[in-house]
Amino acid sequence: MGIYVNPGNTAFQEAVNSMVYVDKSALIFCTNRALNTKQKNMCISRPRRFGKSMAADMLCAYYSAGCDSRALFSGLAIASDQTFEVHLNRHSVIRLDMQRFLETTQDLETFISQVQCCVIAELAQVFPQCVPFPANNRLKTVLDDIFRQTGSRFVFIIDEWDHVFRVARESTEKQKEYLDFLRGLFKGADYVEFAYMTGILPIKKYGEHSAINMFDEYSMIDPKNLGTYFGFTTEEVLAGCQRYGANPQEIKQWYDGYLLNGISIYNPKSVADAWMWKRCKSYWTGTETYEALKIYMDLNFDGLKETIIEMLGNGRVSVDPTTFQNDMTTLKTRDDVLTLLVHLGYLAFDEVRDEVFIPNQEIAQEFLRSIKTGGWDGVISALKRSEELLKSTWALDGDTVAEGIAAIHNETASLLQYNNENSLSCTLLMAYYSAKAYYKAPLRELPAGKGFADIVYLPKQDVKRPALVVELKWNRSAISAINQIKERQYASWLQDYAGDVLLIGINYDSKKKVHSCVIEKVEKEM
């Protein structure tokens, strides 16, 4: 048993022994079927705290010939698969954690040679019949030589593969040197039986092309068939809540919201912490500080701040993830920043609609922490007004609602380019920030009746509050907005809705710089 070659199963044993453990061994169904196929090279990217290292430890424990893991996997899902016995502890494994070799920028000059020297030293102990190895000390040459003499092939498990792109953000030379090393190690190599790399970022692109194109990528943008292994599923959370005595609705509000192939995924580490410590709160800040998020928010490409304010109001925004170059520095557009935030776990991505949004209360708190300092004048004050504004809406007090929206507009004037209905809608979403406690995510441009309602809020299940149908006008009148709702029968779309409906017309007069609001109640019987 070595550190890098044929490692043991201690790390995975600790995971299984922990107070909270959710069986994800079914991932091995997929990796077994990829062995010795054209799909044998897999790169899995997901955020911190989403179980990357645990999965890598599990695969090492299963494949490595350096340990006996039969008892460890007994009772887990993979044990019932027909391939379980075929591959259990029968493979030569090379396990690398790149963060171990590259802790600081001072290691940049030597880390690739250190990787090769450490692995070659252990290969000499495992394959003494092949010593002496070729003198050039290149790992790929040594592995070629071992394969030529013994026919031995290898399973590679590489954790934190992208760490160099975070340590050497500005050093494209070192990044390319590292990618050349990986390309030489894997491209066309007969000694590779299977390769599994995991990190936060997908493989670095130059232009439209991947630098290591022999790998199939599985990411928060495109998880392919591995979506259920990126976090906890709804079924796993419900079972865990019953086992650990937690409220599933509270867990959902705090940690759900990530969508992968249409599957609802929870942040696994945060859920596990909430189960263990019997408290729902943000566990995110233990590894990702709000300053890191703030750096990207403050770039403000293409109205990024306005976009974030819209998402804080529980809204969604369209995004094109294809221009992102899969690093943390080549950021040129708003979409690049939003896509990076998806990979970092700060945003969720709906691949059907190509939209991003803030997934849950835990992440919303991280955004709020980030905007409390500098450059976001008035946002916190505006959000604090939201609860009173919502109460005024329920009370049909249009004048107070108009005054509240005007105050929010004044407090955020430096952030929002207030010149059309779109910026008015952004202000409205911020004004109704507190609605997320009572309502589902707002529906924008909802097809209803004979046209499109601007914004519709539908109450959550078992919440007895009226639905809200909002029409916005610019240099018209609030009454004309109400009349449009009625004439085009927007509320008819809600005819099967069991509760009351409030029709809300809001206008902004740009000449007088005045907001107006009219609210009417449509009772269930109507």
Side-chain angles (χ1 to χ4, degrees), residues 298-453:
D298 285 346
L299 292 174
N300 200 27
F301 291 132
D302 309 321
L304 177 62
K305 289 186 177 181
E306 186 170 321
T307 296
I308 290 172
I309 290 173
E310 185 171 349
M311 290 189 292
L312 278 172
N314 218 15
R316 294 183 171 209
V317 295
S318 297
V319 66
D320 176 8
T322 60
T323 62
F324 181 57
Q325 296 298 297
N326 297 349
D327 64 26
M328 293 182 167
T329 54
T330 314
L331 305 172
K332 298 180 180 179
T333 67
R334 182 201 71 154
D335 286 353
D336 288 343
V337 177
L338 294 177
T339 304
L340 174 60
L341 294 181
V342 172
H343 290 297
L344 294 177
Y346 287 111
L347 294 177
F349 177 67
D350 185 337
E351 62 179 328
V352 175
R353 299 181 178 181
D354 284 336
E355 293 176 337
V356 293
F357 55 96
I358 296 174
N360 51 49
Q361 187 168 334
E362 180 180 45
I363 300 302
Q365 285 199 357
E366 293 307 303
F367 274 95
L368 291 176
R369 281 167 51 82
S370 297
I371 66 178
K372 283 182 179 179
T373 57
W376 295 78
D377 298 338
V379 173
I380 297 297
S381 298
L383 296 180
K384 288 180 179 178
R385 295 177 180 274
S386 177
E387 185 71 24
E388 292 303 317
L389 188 142
L390 190 59
K391 292 178 181 178
S392 298
T393 301
W394 292 333
L396 310 183
D397 187 349
D399 290 340
T400 301
V401 170
E403 291 173 3
I405 293 175
I408 290 173
H409 165 222
N410 292 334
E411 289 167 342
T412 59
S414 63
L415 292 175
L416 301 178
Q417 298 179 1
Y418 214 62
N419 51 20
N420 54 37
E421 285 185 27
N422 184 59
S423 50
L424 177 57
S425 70
C426 186
T427 300
L428 184 80
L429 289 171
M430 185 163 48
Y432 283 113
Y433 170 79
S434 294
K436 64 175 61 182
Y438 312 94
Y439 294 89
K440 301 175 183 177
L443 302 171
R444 305 288 303 275
E445 296 292 335
L446 178 69
K450 300 177 181 178
F452 295 83

Side-chain angles (χ1 to χ4, degrees), residues 43 111-112 161-162 164-165 171-187 197 202-206 209-215 325-327:
C43 182
F111 88 98
I112 293 178
W161 87 269
D162 60 332
V164 65
F165 296 99
S171 179
T172 57
E173 179 181 347
K174 290 300 177 184
Q175 292 175 12
K176 289 183 178 181
E177 180 182 345
Y178 173 61
L179 289 173
D180 287 341
F181 165 67
L182 293 179
R183 185 186 300 109
L185 190 60
F186 294 115
K187 191 172 183 62
M197 296 201 311
I203 293 173
K204 166 69 179 169
K205 292 191 294 186
Y206 292 98
H209 302 288
S210 167
I212 318 176
N213 58 11
M214 74 287 295
F215 277 84
Q325 296 298 297
N326 297 349
D327 64 26

